Amino acid sequence: LGAGVVTAAIEIEPMAGRHVTAVRAIDELTYPTPWSVATWRNELASTDRHHVVAVADEGRDGRRVVGHAGLLFVLDEVHVTTVAVHPDVQGRGIASRMLVALLREARTRLVSAATLEVRASDRRTQRLYGRFGFRPVGLRRGYYSGPTDDAVVMWLEQLGSADTETRLERIGAELDRLAPPSHVTGRTT
């Protein structure tokens, strides 16, 4: 991936089996312990999970997966299980676009709250989640390995509220002003 990939040519779409190889490659660059292909196939086969990918339209060079994110639904709550963006295109709003799509999907399923864990040392990602209304509520000591780190547990209460919808609309509008998406797709059934 080169510096020529811009968020203006990003599509957010449901993850499918054809994306697993590219998603796994991003994981190898961003996580010390990436999920296996088998784990990804199980994730996609499960009805209590929802994953999206960010696909960059690189013109004549084709389309390329540059990020992925996922949810695990548990009763009336949702757990953000993964958010990863290729290192070459981080900081361009791709993670935010995926989170907007995921949280909107959760709202359509009448989910009341969302939770996640983030490395205690990763202040940048904590700020990203804070922008969406997630607040730190606890710490899990030694949760992460390679390198060992604590996890900050964050919750977004009132996911179904008008305030959360307004926040998602505002973030989406800000992203569109910076670089309008070429196309953003929702859930397909």
Side-chain angles (χ1 to χ4, degrees), residues 95-116:
S96 292
R97 284 193 189 279
M98 291 188 297
L99 281 168
V100 167
L102 289 179
L103 294 176
R104 284 183 173 155
E105 173 65 20
R107 287 173 54 84
T108 68
R109 297 190 192 190
L110 305 178
V111 170
S112 65
T115 187
L116 55 84

Side-chain angles (χ1 to χ4, degrees), residues 60-127:
R60 67 176 186 268
D61 294 331
R63 294 167 37 92
R64 183 172 300 171
V65 174
V66 294
H68 67 85
L71 299 175
L72 167 63
F73 292 89
V74 181
L75 301 174
D76 69 337
E77 298 173 349
V78 68
H79 183 94
V80 178
T81 57
T82 184
V83 176
V85 176
H86 193 288
D88 287 351
V89 293
Q90 288 179 359
R92 299 184 188 187
I94 296 168
S96 292
R97 284 193 189 279
M98 291 188 297
L99 281 168
V100 167
L102 289 179
L103 294 176
R104 284 183 173 155
E105 173 65 20
R107 287 173 54 84
T108 68
R109 297 190 192 190
L110 305 178
V111 170
S112 65
T115 187
L116 55 84
E117 294 90 13
V118 60
R119 283 183 178 271
S121 61
D122 190 351
R123 302 283 189 220
R124 179 180 177 196
T125 302
Q126 290 174 43
R127 285 191 301 274

Side-chain angles (χ1 to χ4, degrees), residues 21-80:
T21 300
V23 164
R24 181 86 166 71
I26 291 169
D27 280 359
E28 288 177 359
L29 295 170
T30 57
Y31 293 128
T33 311
W35 288 356
S36 68
V37 169
T39 298
W40 276 113
R41 298 244 181 252
N42 288 336
E43 287 284 310
L44 292 175
S46 179
T47 58
D48 62 351
R49 285 155 171 75
H50 179 72
H51 291 274
V52 297
V53 291
V55 180
D57 181 351
E58 297 180 326
R60 67 176 186 268
D61 294 331
R63 294 167 37 92
R64 183 172 300 171
V65 174
V66 294
H68 67 85
L71 299 175
L72 167 63
F73 292 89
V74 181
L75 301 174
D76 69 337
E77 298 173 349
V78 68
H79 183 94
V80 178

